[in-house]
Amino acid sequence: IKNLYINVTVAPGGAQTYTATLQVQGADTTVACTITGAAQSCNNTANSANITAGQIYAVKFVSSVTAAATNMNWGAQTDGH
């Protein structure tokens, strides 16, 4: 999986952050990005993670302590093998 894109409905505000990280089999990968302040999107087009048949993947979404509540949408590219 590569080219992770994240969009949120509400920016975290101030110096607050949201961080999205692709996980494979429950472990964090280098496919991650952080949204800060007034921003409402981020992406990571530099890193990729290998996923083989039967492995479980997810996007972990973590907000800083006083970040605004939001909804998150994500998309990524697969090689389709």
Side-chain angles (χ1 to χ4, degrees):
I1 291 183
K2 59 185 178 181
N3 297 330
L4 177 69
Y5 287 84
I6 304 293
N7 291 297
V8 294
T9 56
V10 178
Q16 301 304 308
T17 61
Y18 305 129
T19 300
T21 305
L22 179 71
Q23 295 183 314
V24 178
Q25 296 297 102
D28 289 355
T29 69
T30 59
V31 183
C33 66
T34 299
I35 300 171
T36 303
Q40 288 185 271
S41 65
C42 66
N43 66 71
N44 182 322
T45 58
N47 299 315
S48 63
N50 291 323
I51 298 174
T52 59
Q55 287 187 312
I56 296 171
Y57 65 92
V59 174
K60 177 176 76 174
F61 190 69
V62 178
S63 64
S64 56
V65 176
T66 60
T70 193
N71 293 307
M72 183 259 305
N73 295 301
W74 69 276
Q77 182 180 351
T78 62
D79 287 333
H81 294 279

